[in-house]
């Protein structure tokens, strides 16, 4: 069974652009230490059933992170459609 993991920050290739590609996702471990994975590692972990990611923004509003495919065949992470714009994942703060 996949571990449920909250993503609370991202690194994008162009930070000011809300539609730019995510390079890394990150969060906080139960012991308070930080974790960070490349988008590729996160996608592999989802595919392998290792992790199930979510974003909680605003607090109490959980949205699942899923794998999507661009029209050019590139896989990327995004949140399930919930009516929020921009995408909850893309709107997260920068990871340290």
């Amino acid at each position: 069974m996949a571990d449920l993991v909250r993503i609370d920050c991202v690194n994008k290739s162009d930070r000011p652009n809300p539609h730019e590609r995510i390079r890394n996702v990150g969060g906080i471990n139960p012991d308070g230490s930080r974790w960070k994975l490349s988008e590729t590692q996160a996608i592999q972990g989802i595919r392998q059933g290792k992790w199930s990611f979510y974003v909680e923004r605003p607090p109490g509003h959980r949205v699942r992170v899923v794998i999507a495919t661009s029209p050019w065949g590139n896989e990327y992470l995004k949140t399930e459609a919930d009516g929020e714009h921009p995408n909850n994942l893309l709107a997260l703060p920068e990871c340290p």
Side-chain angles (χ1 to χ4, degrees):
M1 180 166 198
D3 289 335
L4 186 60
V5 180
R6 179 180 167 182
I7 295 174
D8 67 7
C9 65
V10 295
N11 296 120
K12 297 192 301 184
S13 53
D14 181 6
R15 183 78 227 165
N17 183 343
H19 303 290
E20 195 56 41
R21 184 170 177 86
I22 291 172
R23 288 190 339 248
N24 303 301
V25 295
I28 300 175
N29 291 310
D31 67 3
S33 63
R34 295 206 62 87
W35 62 270
K36 185 166 28 172
L37 297 169
S38 71
E39 182 178 53
T40 301
Q41 290 171 312
I43 289 170
Q44 288 172 346
I46 292 169
R47 289 220 182 279
Q48 295 168 352
K50 189 173 184 178
W51 301 300
S52 178
F53 295 103
Y54 71 95
V55 171
E56 188 170 354
R57 189 174 173 125
H61 180 73
R62 284 189 181 187
V63 181
R64 195 165 73 114
V65 174
V66 297
I67 301 169
T69 305
S70 76
W72 303 276
N74 299 319
E75 291 186 324
Y76 64 97
L77 297 175
K78 70 173 206 157
T79 52
E80 289 184 317
D82 68 349
E84 295 292 324
H85 295 286
N87 179 297
N88 302 56
L89 192 59
L90 294 172
L92 291 174
E94 187 77 9
C95 289

